[in-house]
Amino acid sequence: MKISNSPAMRRMPTYLHRLFHLRLSGQEWVSCADLAQYMNIPHIMVRKDIAMTGLAGNKRYGFRVNELIDAILRLVGWDKVSSATLIGAGSLGAALLGFDEFRLYNFVIESVFDSSPDKIGRSIHGHEIYDLADIRKRLKFAPPKVGIICVPAVGAQLVADILVSLGIKYIWNFSNVCLNVPPGVIVQREVIAGGLAVLFAKINKAESGEEIPDGE
Amino acid sequence: MKISNSPAMRRMPTYLHRLFHLRLSGQEWVSCADLAQYMNIPHIMVRKDIAMTGLAGNKRYGFRVNELIDAILRLVGWDKVSSATLIGAGSLGAALLGFDEFRLYNFVIESVFDSSPDKIGRSIHGHEIYDLADIRKRLKFAPPKVGIICVPAVGAQLVADILVSLGIKYIWNFSNVCLNVPPGVIVQREVIAGGLAVLFAKINKAESGEEIPDGE
C-alpha cells in the first residue's frame, strides 16, 4: 500500500459505521452518492475508495449493503478475528476499552495491563486489569496479534520492547513518542493532536478567504 | 490546503514534540536526517514538510531548533492562543483534558460541559465540569474558537447544533457520527478506528510479502 492510500483506509471505519446503521434500518442498497452526502466528501472519492474492494456495483441501485460491508471488512483484514492486548489503563486506554465498534471489526482486546496499584485488579468495561509485571507469564503461550500502547511517553519504549520480546509484531502506539523496533515489527502511531493540526490548517484557509476543502 | 496535504499536517505535532524535546536537551540545530530517523520516514518527506513553513535551512547545520518550532507553530496557526470548549467528560474527554502538549500548541480548553449528574461539579485535570444545560449562559458572551465534541454518537448532532448556535464555527468531532452543519462551519472528525484500519492495511501488505511502507 502506498502511504497516499492511508486517507482512504482511514475512511473505511466511517463507511462501515454508516453501512451497519443502514443495515439495521433495513436498507438493502446504497449508492456512492448516499455515502458521499453522509460524509460530506466528493462522490468520486467514495467511488475510488470502494473500487479498492474490487466490488462491482449495480448501475441503477449501487451496492448491496451486506456485500459492501463484507468487501470492506475483507479489504481491511477485519473479516477474521484479531486479538489484542492493551497496556495502560488510563483515560485513553479506558476510552478504547469502551469502543463498541471494535466488535464490528472483529477486533478483540483480550487482556489489559497496567503497572499502577490503583488500577490492577479493577475492571473497566468488563476487562480486568492485570499487573504489567505478569505480562510475560500471561501472554507467553498465546501472544495476541496486536499490542496497543496507551502508557505515558516515558514508559512506551519499555512496553514496546516487552511486546516485541513476546513475539507481538504489530503495535498500535498511542503514546506520544516514536518507538524503536526491530525490522519486521510494524508500528502505527496515533497522534491525536494531528487531527487538531489538520483542523487548524482548514481554519487558516477559511480565514484567509480560500475555499474550504470538502470533507469532515 | 489540498486534502492530500493532511498527512503532512498530521505530522506537525510529532515534529514539534521532537523539537521541544531537543530544545530542552540544549540542542541548537537539527537536520532533516535527524528528524527522518527519529520518525522512521523518508528524508525527503521531512524536507517537503518543512518546506511548507518557508523556513530556509543552513546547508551545513540544518535548522535552528527554535526557529523551526516557531515556523511550524506559525504554519499550523498555533502561534496565537486558541480557546476551546469540550463537551462530554467521559474517558476520551478526560484523556484530552490530560493532554499536556496542548499547552505547547497554545490550545487552551477553557471550559468543560457534560449532562451527567455524576460528572457535573466534579473536576478532571483541574477543569471543573459544568452542566451542559448552562452552556448558553456561560459561553454566550465569549464563545471559544473551537468546540470539541466527545459525547456518544446519539447526542453529537444536538451538541453540534448548540455550538453552532453559540457562534462556534470550528468543531473537532470525536463522536462516531458525521455532523450536519451549515456552510462556513468546519468540522474535523477524528476516527480513532481509522488508524487501526491503516495498521491492518500495513499488516496485510507485510503478510502478503510486500514491502512494508516506511513511517510509523
Side-chain angles (χ1 to χ4, degrees), chain B residues 82-133:
Chain B
S82 306
S83 59
T85 184
L86 184 146
I87 322 297
S91 305
L92 191 59
L96 294 176
L97 292 173
F99 260 37
D100 287 336
E101 63 177 312
F102 285 158
R103 264 185 304 122
L104 301 173
Y105 310 151
N106 297 304
F107 184 72
V108 182
I109 301 177
E110 290 181 332
S111 56
V112 183
F113 294 88
D114 202 292
S115 57
S116 157
D118 297 347
K119 293 187 185 132
I120 295 163
R122 276 185 50 208
S123 176
I124 298 183
H125 295 291
H127 296 265
E128 186 181 343
I129 302 170
Y130 298 127
D131 189 343
L132 183 57

Side-chain angles (χ1 to χ4, degrees), chain A residues 94-108:
Chain A
L96 294 177
L97 291 173
F99 259 38
D100 288 336
E101 63 176 313
F102 286 158
R103 264 185 305 123
L104 301 174
Y105 310 151
N106 296 304
F107 185 72
V108 182

Side-chain angles (χ1 to χ4, degrees), chain A residues 14 17 176 179 189 216, chain B residues 1 14 17 176 179 189 216:
Chain A
T14 306
H17 181 77
N176 197 1
L179 300 171
R189 196 158 73 88
E216 280 208 6
Chain B
M1 189 189 69
T14 306
H17 181 76
N176 196 1
L179 300 172
R189 195 158 74 89
E216 279 208 4

Side-chain angles (χ1 to χ4, degrees), chain A residues 1-3 6-7 9-14 17 38-40 42 45 74-78 80 82 91-92 94-96 99 101-102 105 107 125 145-146 153 169-174 176-180 184-207 210-216, chain B residues 1-3 6-7 9-14 17 38-40 42 45 74-78 80 82 91-92 94-96 99 101-102 105 107 125 145-146 153 169-174 176-180 184-207 210-216:
Chain A
M1 190 188 68
K2 287 183 300 177
I3 282 183
S6 288
M9 294 308 297
R10 285 196 171 271
R11 284 189 287 274
M12 294 301 162
T14 306
H17 181 77
Y38 172 69
M39 289 171 66
N40 192 25
M45 193 181 277
R74 232 176 6 249
L75 172 73
V76 182
W78 286 341
K80 303 172 293 287
S82 305
S91 304
L92 191 59
L96 294 177
F99 259 38
E101 63 176 313
F102 286 158
Y105 310 151
F107 185 72
H125 295 293
K145 181 166 185 161
V146 175
K169 288 195 300 181
Y170 309 126
I171 294 178
W172 200 14
N173 175 23
F174 284 86
N176 197 1
V177 69
C178 291
L179 300 171
N180 209 335
V185 175
I186 297 176
V187 181
Q188 169 70 21
R189 196 158 73 88
E190 292 304 311
V191 183
I192 304 279
L196 188 64
V198 175
L199 173 62
F200 269 72
K202 291 178 185 172
I203 293 174
N204 293 341
K205 290 289 163 182
E207 295 191 341
E210 288 183 57
E211 197 188 340
I212 301 168
D214 271 335
E216 280 208 6
Chain B
M1 189 189 69
K2 287 183 301 176
I3 281 183
S6 289
M9 293 308 297
R10 285 196 172 270
R11 284 188 288 274
M12 296 301 164
T14 306
H17 181 76
Y38 172 69
M39 288 171 67
N40 190 26
M45 195 181 274
R74 234 176 6 252
L75 172 73
V76 182
W78 286 342
K80 304 171 292 287
S82 306
S91 305
L92 191 59
L96 294 176
F99 260 37
E101 63 177 312
F102 285 158
Y105 310 151
F107 184 72
H125 295 291
K145 180 166 186 161
V146 175
K169 287 196 300 181
Y170 309 126
I171 295 177
W172 199 14
N173 175 23
F174 284 86
N176 196 1
V177 71
C178 291
L179 300 172
N180 211 334
V185 175
I186 296 176
V187 181
Q188 170 70 22
R189 195 158 74 89
E190 292 304 311
V191 183
I192 304 279
L196 188 64
V198 175
L199 173 62
F200 269 72
K202 291 178 186 171
I203 293 174
N204 293 341
K205 290 289 164 183
E207 296 192 342
E210 287 182 58
E211 198 188 339
I212 302 168
D214 270 334
E216 279 208 4

